[in-house]
Amino acid sequence: MDTPSPVTPVTVREVGLRDGLQSIARTLPTAHKLDWLRAAHAAGQREIEVGSFVPARLLPQLADTAELVAVARTLPGLVTSVLVPNLKGAQAALDSGADAMLLPLSASHAHSLANLRKTPDEVVAEIGRIRALRDSSGSCCLIEVGLSTAFGCTIQGRVDETEVLRLLQAVLDAGAERVGLADTVGYADPLQVGRLFERAFKVAGDRLACGHFHDTRGLGLANVFAAWQVGVRRFDACLAGIGGCPHAPGASGNVATEDVAYLFASMGVPTGLDFDALIALRSQVVQWLAGEATHGAIARAGLPKTMKEAA
Ligand code: ZN
């Protein structure tokens, strides 16, 4: 007798505490961030990016990252990740005891030069040095690379897919254990997303494990769905859709955690997230960030009557 195969769950990694807050000028007090962290965990989130090890003079909003990691490590079953821009940041991540470090690499040469004053291949070389540092430290902190501007760039415009795939192979060769593709500027369309992820799976196999989409032009959830259809089961999202676009003031930011959770729940795909808890936390975060642009359809409309329970 055939038994229906269980639907593979989807992981929604919360990046609001890093991606979201870094693009907001005000600094959320550490106590509020810790409340957010604990409430997100209580709502079922099991992967949270809590901050970034960049110099505090560049991003004072994230200067308390080590403190957040220390508390996050006490939450059962939580995978704590931090963003790391270079070798020095990687050392700080290792010292903090984070479970994973996310290293950004821009697929656009123009973007990479403008933001880091390094070519993508110079960043790949730094990733190799970070892998060597991690190995020699004896830590098992996972190294994940997020390939940003993979679907287009505000400076360069079109980004060649073969260049994205070449860089993907290069970072895997340099020692990345997990890779993802990111549309940080909201240029991607769903057909492009499906096509590029399919090609990227041929390069990276199951090490390709993250989709990062922004809703800048209204295609965020469509792009999440397109990536899911070709096998992606892990997505970044920000509660209340914070983290707008620096090139389009007021524009939507990252896809909203609660809307991504709803997308999957509506299709019967488990995410382990508790909607009531997420929406309550969202209200709190929106209050803390009063005056900042926030987004999200479920927060406005509520869940439909037909949905009996959160997946
Ligand atoms: Zn983002």
Side-chain angles (χ1 to χ4, degrees), residues 47-73:
E47 287 204 42
I48 303 179
E49 190 166 271
V50 300
S52 177
F53 283 113
V54 291
R57 67 184 158 78
L58 295 179
L59 275 181
Q61 302 98 312
L62 305 181
D64 53 3
T65 295
E67 204 176 335
L68 265 87
V69 174
V71 173
R73 290 179 66 191

Side-chain angles (χ1 to χ4, degrees), residues 245-271:
C245 176
H247 307 283
S252 310
N254 290 272
V255 285
T257 303
E258 63 278 15
D259 288 357
V260 175
Y262 172 68
L263 169 66
F264 289 112
S266 71
M267 301 190 295
V269 178
T271 61

Side-chain angles (χ1 to χ4, degrees), residues 15 18-19 184 212-214 243 254:
V15 297
R18 196 278 303 167
D19 194 339
T184 43
H212 181 112
F213 297 104
H214 281 222
N254 290 272

Side-chain angles (χ1 to χ4, degrees), residues 41-223:
H41 179 261
Q45 297 207 266
R46 288 297 174 267
E47 287 204 42
I48 303 179
E49 190 166 271
V50 300
S52 177
F53 283 113
V54 291
R57 67 184 158 78
L58 295 179
L59 275 181
Q61 302 98 312
L62 305 181
D64 53 3
T65 295
E67 204 176 335
L68 265 87
V69 174
V71 173
R73 290 179 66 191
T74 67
L75 300 174
L78 181 65
V79 177
T80 305
S81 61
V82 289
L83 186 132
V84 160
N86 51 30
L87 194 64
K88 200 170 171 216
Q91 183 63 60
L94 293 171
D95 293 343
S96 76
D99 300 304
M101 56 174 113
L102 192 283
L103 318 176
L105 166 64
S106 185
S108 151
H109 285 235
H111 187 268
S112 191
L113 286 171
N115 277 269
L116 299 169
R117 294 190 198 86
K118 284 181 188 168
T119 66
D121 287 291
E122 285 166 348
V123 178
V124 170
E126 184 82 344
I127 291 165
R129 289 188 284 273
I130 289 172
R131 172 63 192 255
L133 175 73
R134 196 282 312 267
D135 289 350
S136 68
S137 76
S139 158
C140 48
C141 182
L142 190 95
I143 296 174
E144 174 167 354
V145 173
L147 224 65
S148 63
T149 61
F151 302 90
C153 166
T154 50
I155 304 170
Q156 180 178 310
R158 203 167 285 282
V159 174
D160 190 4
E161 287 190 4
T162 56
E163 174 64 358
V164 175
L165 299 170
R166 182 189 75 80
L167 287 169
L168 207 53
Q169 185 64 61
V171 299
L172 291 167
D173 292 344
E177 292 154 309
R178 197 152 68 179
V179 290
L181 300 179
D183 177 31
T184 43
V185 291
Y187 276 20
D189 72 74
L191 288 180
Q192 180 192 17
V193 166
R195 183 177 65 236
L196 187 53
F197 266 98
E198 268 191 323
R199 294 183 73 185
F201 270 122
K202 292 195 179 107
V203 173
D206 60 10
R207 288 177 293 177
L208 176 63
C210 194
H212 181 112
F213 297 104
H214 281 222
D215 195 40
T216 322
R217 291 171 179 80
L219 298 186
L221 287 185
N223 290 332

